[in-house]
Structures are given as C-alpha cells and as structure tokens.
Amino acid sequence: MKARLMRITVAFSLLLVLLLALPTLAFASEETEGTGIGIELFIPKPGEFFPMLVGFVVLWAILAKFGWPALTGMIDKRTQSIKESLEQAENAKIQGQQLLDEQKAELAEAKKQAAEIIAQSKQTAEAVKAEITAQAQHEAEAITSRARQAIDVEKQAAIAELQGFVADFSVAVAQKVIGSDLSDTEHRRIIERYVSEAGDFGDN
Amino acid sequence: MTTKPILAKAKAAVYAEVLLKTAPDPNSIFELASQFDQLLKTVRGSAELALTLANQHLAARERRAIAHEVFIHLRPELLAVFEVMVERGDLDVLARAHAQFERRAEQALGVVIIDVTTVVPLDERLRSLIIKKYASQLGSGVRLREHVDPGLAGGIILSLHGRRIDASVVSQLQSARSVLIRP
C-alpha cells in the first residue's frame, strides 16, 4: 500500500513537471503568430520554473520524509483497525452463528424431551386411570358381595327367628291345649302310658 | 366357713346322723326326708335368703332367729338341726347333709325314695304301678315322694339320687320345638 502510494506520487510529480515544461515547446509557435499574451499566462517562465521545481522537490522531499510516512502510517493503522474490526466482526458472526446453532440444537433437544415427557405422562396417566378404575370396580364388587352376604345372613336370621317364633307359638298352644283341655282321668292315662314306656334309672 | 371337703363331708354326716336319730318312727323319717328336700329347694331357690343365713356379719343368734322364723312350719327336729347349722355357719354343707340323710333314711327304712312329679295327684293305681315297676328294677322297696306341677302339661318326671327320667309333655314339646327350629 505504501509502495503503491509512493509510486503514484512519483508518477504524478513527473507528469506535473512534464506538463509544466512542455507547454513552452508546444506553444512557442503561437508566440510569434499573435501577440503572445494569452497562452503565456499558463507557461511558466524559466526564471520561475526552476525555483518552482526546486521548491516542489523540496516540498516533495519533506512530504516524503515526514508527511507520507505519517499519512501512510495513519492509513495503515486505519487499515489495520478496519481489518481487525472486520476480523472481529467475522469472528463474532461466526461465534454468533455457532451460538445460534447450539441454541437451535438445544431448543430442538428440549422440545424432543418435552414431547417425550408428555408422552410418558400420558402413558402414566392412562395406567393410573386404568388401575383406579379396576380398583374401584373391585371394591364395588366386594361391597356388593358383602352386602349380599349381609342380606343372606339377615335373611337366615329372620327365617330362624320366624321359625323359633312359630315353634314357640306352636308349643305354647299345644301346652295350653293339653294342659287345660285334658281331664284328670286323661292325664292319669297318659301318666300310666309314660310309666310303662319309661326306661330305668340306670339308663340315664 | 367349711373349706376342706373331707371336713365338710364329716360335718354333713354328723348332721344327717343326728337328724336321723331324732326321728321317733319310720314314718317320721320319711316325713323328715320330704321336709329336708323342701328345705333345700327353698334355700337354693332364694339367693337372698341363702346370703342372709350365711352372712357372717350378722350375729349367730340373729341368723338362727331368721331361720326359725322362715322355717317354723318344719318338724321341730329338722328345724333344730337347721338352726344349729345356720348358727355355726355350716350352711354350705346343707346339700351334703341332705344327700347323706336321704341315704341313711333309705337304709333305715329299707326303701329307695323316688321323687315323682305329675300334673295331677297320683291315684292308688298309678302309685302301685310305679312302685311295682321300680321295686323290681332296683331290687329294693320303693317309696314315692309325690309332687304336683301343672307346668308339666302332662306326663311324669321321676328322680332318684340325682338321676332323672323325664317323661313330661312339656319336655317332649321342647324336643319338638328343637326339631322345628333346626335349619
């Protein structure tokens, strides 16, 4: 960059010198033809040209020594800075892209895990629901069975109670009939029969 | 209070022997046996009476007086023996004394005493029938102690020395009841 700038400066200086020197030769014929006032305004006089040239060279040397290095230094620094910034930007872009890719991957993974958890939860919920339903059915059957058993027991108890009542009533009626409706003679007849049928004291 | 069985048995034997000796004739023995049986049933049938007569917190004289008042209708010999029993606190040997007296009375009379319970009083025919049947079975004379209980509804109950023949209508009705209520 610096070398290129130097070359451009040198080429421009030479061209400027040539352009300043050549019009003296090119427009020399016009001086004789006319009054020679118009074009001479632009052609430097030799007595002025060489000091101008020296001045120019001195100026050019000073610039070359102090100006162009500073300028090129600044330009280089700027270039470097821009380069570094570009590199940083590029790196940041790359890092950003990487981060984005990682985040996308993590997001995809999280979505996948969430889907799995949801599916598992659904499965678990279904299983729990089935278990609760089965348990409830089982308990309902047990309650029904116990109720039936209780009903049967109550029924048997009621039947037994009724049987007992009927038996007691029958016995009471028979006792009353036999006790009150039989005469003494009939009682004695019964006693005689029982004495005849009764066993020995040794049998008891 | 008698605690040892052997002592109790000995005491019971003494009371029975004394009572037997006080009887003037065989008929008295039988009557004493019947009244002793009734006395025992009365004392067993009333817990309050039994507790009062056995209450050691009462003076002996008081217990004796109570026994005298309650059983004044008994024969004097039996009442006297019973009062002594109560006074000495030997009411717990009453049942043993009764059993011993029954045995001795039977031995003295040469018979066995059978308790007969019927709905109506026995007539002579039934008495002879029963006596004849069991005299031949037991090989001994038989004397009947008759009781009337309308609750039997009919039939007869015979008991001898703790053994029992229940041919009453009420027990047969109870058997029928058991069959009726069988599941």
Side-chain angles (χ1 to χ4, degrees), chain B residues 51-173:
Chain B
L51 285 170
T52 305
L53 293 174
N55 189 355
Q56 295 299 312
H57 295 293
L58 289 174
R61 262 181 300 164
E62 284 177 5
R63 293 198 302 268
R64 185 176 180 142
I66 292 169
H68 184 84
E69 285 296 319
V70 172
F71 295 106
I72 196 164
H73 59 281
L74 296 178
R75 284 180 68 96
E77 305 90 342
L78 179 57
L79 184 57
V81 169
F82 183 63
E83 283 175 5
V84 170
M85 208 182 283
V86 166
E87 192 175 12
R88 292 170 63 84
D90 288 338
L91 201 62
D92 52 328
V93 301
L94 182 65
R96 283 182 197 256
H98 168 262
Q100 293 255 7
F101 181 77
E102 286 264 318
R103 216 162 290 131
R104 285 166 201 265
E106 285 174 351
Q107 283 171 1
L109 296 171
V111 296
V112 290
I113 300 173
I114 298 178
D115 284 287
V116 177
T117 308
T118 52
V119 176
V120 293
L122 294 174
D123 58 10
E124 275 308 314
R125 193 164 157 272
L126 284 174
R127 270 191 213 102
S128 353
L129 180 67
I130 295 168
I131 289 171
K132 191 177 168 185
K133 177 175 178 175
Y134 289 104
S136 64
Q137 282 179 9
L138 297 169
S140 165
V142 171
R143 194 144 177 190
L144 302 181
R145 192 153 54 199
E146 297 175 28
H147 309 276
V148 174
D149 182 5
L152 295 185
I156 185 169
I157 296 177
L158 302 150
S159 61
L160 169 67
H161 297 160
R163 288 172 291 173
R164 190 177 159 103
I165 297 173
D166 189 342
S168 63
V169 169
V170 69
S171 66
Q172 291 181 44
L173 288 174

Side-chain angles (χ1 to χ4, degrees), chain A residues 119-190:
Chain A
Q120 202 171 359
S121 300
K122 275 184 183 170
Q123 262 184 358
T124 307
E126 289 294 323
V128 168
K129 178 184 163 187
E131 190 182 333
I132 290 172
T133 306
Q135 196 174 353
Q137 263 180 346
H138 183 69
E139 280 177 12
E141 284 170 7
I143 289 169
T144 306
S145 172
R146 280 199 294 270
R148 280 205 195 99
Q149 281 178 356
I151 290 168
D152 284 340
V153 166
E154 289 291 326
K155 185 174 146 191
Q156 293 302 323
I159 290 171
E161 192 180 343
L162 187 61
Q163 276 179 333
F165 173 75
V166 168
D168 288 341
F169 186 70
S170 304
V171 164
V173 166
Q175 196 167 335
K176 200 164 179 66
V177 165
I178 293 169
S180 59
D181 286 0
L182 295 179
S183 64
D184 287 3
T185 309
E186 284 165 337
H187 272 295
R188 290 195 181 98
R189 207 175 296 148
I190 291 171

Side-chain angles (χ1 to χ4, degrees), chain A residues 3 11 13 20 25 37 44 47 57 64 71 75 94 98 101 104-105 110 114 119 142 154 168-169 194 197 204:
Chain A
S13 301
L20 289 175
L25 302 171
I37 294 171
V57 171
L71 187 62
I75 291 170
I94 291 169
Q98 281 179 353
D101 291 340
K104 280 183 180 175
E154 289 291 326
D168 288 341
F169 186 70
Y194 284 177
E197 291 170 2
N204 296 334

